[in-house]
Amino acid sequence: MIAPDPRAAIDALADAADATPAWRDAMHRAPRHAFVPDRILAGPASGPDRLIDKAADPDGWWQAVYSDQPIVTQVDDGTTDLPDGRDYTSSCSQPSLVVSFLRLLEVHDHHRVLEIGTGTGWTAGLLSAAIGDHNVTSIEVDPVLAERATANLEGVGLHPNLIVGDGAAGHPDTVPFDRVHVTCGVRSVPYAWVEQTRPGGIIVLPWSPGIGWGHQLVLHVQPDGTALGRVGDSADYMLLRAQRRDLYFGGEHEETTTRIDPRTLAWAPRGADLAMAALLPGVRAFERELQDDVIDWWLSDPGSRSWAVARYVPGETEYPVRQHGPRRLWEEAEDAYFRWQSWGRPGCDRYGITVSADGFHLWMDGPAHRIA
C-alpha cells in the first residue's frame, strides 16, 4: 500500500459534501479516518455492504473511509461481531449528510451544543474543532462506544464533555444549550430537548416516523416553550435506542383482497408517507421483495397487537391482504393515502412539526392546521 495523502483525501471528501470553509477546516482537524475502526461494513450506494478489514485490505479501508458513504461500525448493539449481526446499531454517517445537518445547525462562536448520540465521536470532533471542545457536550447510551469515542477524540487532541447516558433525557445539569444536534433517528422529539434549549435556539434531527423514509427536521425554539419547524430532505438514520419498537406479527389472521396495487402505498411519494405516518399512529411499515417480482408491504402496531400485509403479484387484478388485531391497518392505510389525494397531493415542503409539553404534532402549511 502506498501511504495516502490525508489532506488530499479530506479535501476531496469536503468537496463531495459541499462543506463550507469552516466545516472543511473542521474536517482537517477531526479527520474521518481517526474515527473509523479497523473492521467495518461498507459498500457502494448501489451494492451490498461487505466486511473490510484494514489489516487485510488497507486500500479498500481507506477508500471506504474517504467515500461519501455511511460506514457500519457496530451490529446488534455490540453483542455480535461484524459481519454476522442482524441489525445495524452504530455507524460513521455519510459525510454529505453529516455536513448538511451541521450547516442546518447554524452554529456560531460561543454557542453551547448538546449532541445526542456520540457514536464514533466524529461529529462531536467536528463540532469541537469548529467552536471549541469546551462548548460541546455529547451523550452516548452505549458505554463501549463512549469509551472508543473518547480515545478517538483524544487521539486528535479534542476533549468535548462526553456523557454516558440516555440521550432522550438530554443533559439538564448544564443547561441552557444554544443548539441540539441529534445523530440518530427519532420517532417523537423528547420535550426535554426543547426545555433545555434557550429561546431562539435550534434543534436538528433525523425524523423517522415509521412509514417511508426519514426526514431532516429543523426546529426553532420559541419563547413560549414550544419548538416548530418544517420537514426537509431525506435522512435515514438508526433509531434512538429509547424509541426502538419491536414489531408484532402474532396470532391468527383474516384474509381479504384489495383492488389497489399495494405498491401504490409502498412506493408513495414522501408527502403521502407523511400523511400515512400521521394518520396511522404507532404503525411501522416496511417492504419485502420476494421471488418473481412479488412484493409484500407490511404494517405493524405492537401497541394494539395489530398487523397487516398486502401482497403484490404481477398480472393479478386483485391482491391478497392478511390482517390481525383490533386495528384494520390495511384499510387505515388506504384511507390515509386517499385522504392525502383529496388534500391535493401535498409535498413534504408543506408539512411541519410543533413540539410542546402536551405532545408532538404534525401540521400542514402552518401550525394552526394540525393533521395529528
Side-chain angles (χ1 to χ4, degrees):
M1 173 185 176
I2 299 174
D5 178 0
R7 295 196 62 82
I10 294 165
D11 280 331
L13 191 61
D15 289 341
D18 195 23
T20 62
W23 290 117
R24 180 183 296 267
D25 290 344
M27 291 171 77
H28 279 282
R29 287 199 58 198
R32 196 181 192 214
H33 65 265
F35 295 87
V36 175
D38 290 352
R39 287 170 56 84
I40 58 176
L41 288 175
S46 59
D49 291 333
R50 66 183 181 91
L51 178 67
I52 303 175
D53 189 320
K54 184 178 181 182
D57 184 9
D59 291 323
W61 183 89
W62 187 266
Q63 183 178 9
V65 169
Y66 282 103
S67 65
D68 188 31
Q69 297 295 333
I71 292 172
V72 177
T73 58
Q74 185 196 68
V75 294
D76 296 342
D77 294 332
T79 62
T80 307
D81 292 333
L82 298 176
D84 300 324
R86 184 185 68 175
D87 296 322
Y88 292 174
T89 51
S90 189
S91 70
C92 191
S93 299
Q94 182 176 356
S96 59
L97 201 49
V98 168
V99 171
S100 176
F101 271 113
L102 291 173
R103 294 180 69 169
L104 291 171
L105 200 63
E106 296 183 17
V107 69
H108 301 296
D109 291 344
H110 310 296
H111 273 157
R112 299 176 68 248
V113 179
L114 172 65
E115 180 179 68
I116 310 299
T118 311
T120 65
W122 187 43
T123 53
L126 294 173
L127 285 164
S128 297
I131 59 172
D133 46 24
H134 60 288
N135 288 316
V136 178
T137 296
S138 185
I139 302 178
E140 173 56 55
V141 70
D142 187 320
V144 174
L145 292 180
E147 183 178 1
R148 292 174 185 166
T150 299
N152 293 341
L153 287 158
E154 290 178 348
V156 295
L158 295 171
H159 305 276
N161 181 28
L162 300 182
I163 306 295
V164 177
D166 182 1
H171 190 58
D173 295 348
T174 55
V175 296
F177 294 98
D178 300 284
R179 301 287 189 266
V180 177
H181 178 251
V182 184
T183 70
C184 47
V186 175
R187 296 206 188 282
S188 180
V189 179
Y191 187 62
W193 299 348
V194 179
E195 289 183 301
Q196 294 172 26
T197 305
R198 71 173 74 249
I202 296 174
I203 303 169
V204 301
L205 61 111
W207 179 42
S208 301
I211 296 179
W213 294 97
H215 313 268
Q216 288 186 328
L217 183 61
V218 182
L219 297 172
H220 298 267
V221 178
Q222 307 299 303
D224 65 357
T226 64
L228 64 148
R230 289 191 177 271
V231 175
D233 293 336
S234 295
D236 256 11
Y237 275 62
M238 299 168 194
L239 278 175
L240 180 74
R241 290 197 189 184
Q243 293 190 4
R244 292 178 186 169
R245 292 199 301 261
D246 291 332
L247 298 172
Y248 173 76
F249 295 110
E252 299 294 328
H253 63 267
E254 299 175 10
E255 295 190 9
T256 58
T257 60
T258 179
R259 294 172 57 206
I260 299 168
D261 184 334
R263 298 175 302 171
T264 301
L265 276 62
W267 298 351
R270 290 175 63 225
D273 289 339
L274 284 170
M276 288 189 285
L279 297 171
L280 277 74
V283 174
R284 180 180 168 189
F286 63 92
E287 172 191 334
R288 278 191 180 151
E289 186 171 349
L290 308 177
Q291 293 181 342
D292 301 322
D293 296 326
V294 174
I295 293 171
D296 283 348
W297 193 54
W298 291 85
L299 299 156
S300 174
D301 173 26
S304 68
R305 300 181 72 78
S306 302
W307 60 266
V309 58
R311 172 166 291 182
Y312 166 76
V313 180
E316 296 296 322
T317 56
E318 292 193 350
Y319 305 98
V321 177
R322 290 176 288 159
Q323 297 189 91
H324 167 85
R327 293 183 68 177
R328 315 313 288 164
L329 294 181
W330 174 252
E331 283 83 354
E332 286 188 40
E334 282 184 352
D335 179 71
Y337 176 80
F338 286 105
R339 196 179 307 184
W340 169 76
Q341 294 264 13
S342 73
W343 296 339
R345 298 174 58 91
C348 286
D349 59 333
R350 291 181 58 190
Y351 292 91
I353 297 287
T354 297
V355 184
S356 64
D358 68 348
F360 177 90
H361 307 286
L362 183 69
W363 42 261
M364 191 189 305
D365 296 331
H369 301 108
R370 288 184 180 180
I371 299 173

